[in-house]
Amino acid sequence: FLAGKGLVIYPDIGDKLDIICPKADQGRDYEYYKLYLVKREQAESCSTVLDPNVLVNCNKPEKDIKFTIKFQEFSPNYMGLEFKRNVNYYITSTSNGTVEGLENREGGVCKSRAMKVIMKVGQVPNAANPVAPEAPEDNAIPESSPSPPDQGRIGPEMPGNPG
């Protein structure tokens, strides 16, 4: 992660992104994180207080947890994520790495380690004239992604992961 900036990736429609919470290694403390899909302002301010969309909970040290995001314009699953080309999407965590700080909604590793991912869907790195990089939609969380209470939805059966 770049200091203060996070990580910028350039997925295209059809790509997949695996988020993996590795199980604890012998002799190392496990790091607990809850990752959210958030609006740009939330990523910049490191706050997940307003309407966060939980992607994955890294809270099981005894097992590997994997969540796959499929970058698709339409999802057959009503809870599936949908992405538009030339729109930026943001992932962050406001947890601090400890089990006690898992539910933190402000600061955390977003601030201390710049743990943020900016996903520039369908865009080209270093493009001379990117198409509407900061359009109003840039703040949108995918419409088809309601944020129900976290029900411990983890693992490969998650929405957006066809299997």
Side-chain angles (χ1 to χ4, degrees):
F1 296 104
L2 297 175
K5 300 276 188 210
L7 174 70
V8 179
I9 61 173
Y10 295 85
D12 211 344
I13 297 298
D15 289 350
K16 291 181 181 181
L17 171 67
D18 288 333
I19 297 173
I20 299 170
C21 307
K23 66 180 175 187
D25 287 334
Q26 197 74 346
R28 285 187 53 201
D29 288 338
Y30 184 76
E31 295 185 32
Y32 294 83
Y33 298 111
K34 187 178 278 193
L35 289 121
Y36 301 93
L37 184 64
V38 297
K39 297 177 181 175
R40 183 181 70 228
E41 289 85 8
Q42 292 172 291
E44 289 173 353
S45 66
C46 293
S47 174
T48 56
V49 173
L50 297 174
D51 192 33
N53 186 349
V54 177
L55 291 178
V56 66
N57 229 334
C58 300
N59 62 353
K60 298 200 174 0
E62 70 281 359
K63 63 193 243 180
D64 287 322
I65 298 171
K66 177 175 141 182
F67 177 72
T68 299
I69 295 174
K70 182 175 182 186
F71 294 92
Q72 55 193 358
E73 293 181 291
F74 302 100
S75 173
N77 182 331
Y78 82 99
M79 292 286 289
L81 299 175
E82 295 178 346
F83 297 89
K84 295 178 182 168
R85 281 184 170 84
N86 298 314
V87 175
N88 297 338
Y89 298 89
Y90 302 84
I91 296 173
T92 193
S93 177
T94 49
S95 306
N96 67 10
T98 67
V99 69
E100 300 82 16
L102 184 63
E103 300 296 331
N104 286 358
R105 300 299 286 276
E106 298 196 62
V109 291
C110 174
K111 261 205 183 2
S112 66
R113 297 188 195 168
M115 191 183 281
K116 315 173 196 193
V117 178
I118 303 169
M119 301 176 291
K120 295 179 169 276
V121 178
Q123 299 174 51
V124 179
N126 305 318
N129 190 11
V131 180
E134 299 300 326
E137 293 176 14
D138 187 41
N139 278 334
I141 291 177
E143 289 293 324
S144 65
S145 303
S147 185
D150 181 27
Q151 299 162 350
R153 298 176 297 136
I154 53 174
E157 68 281 356
M158 293 297 294
N161 183 359

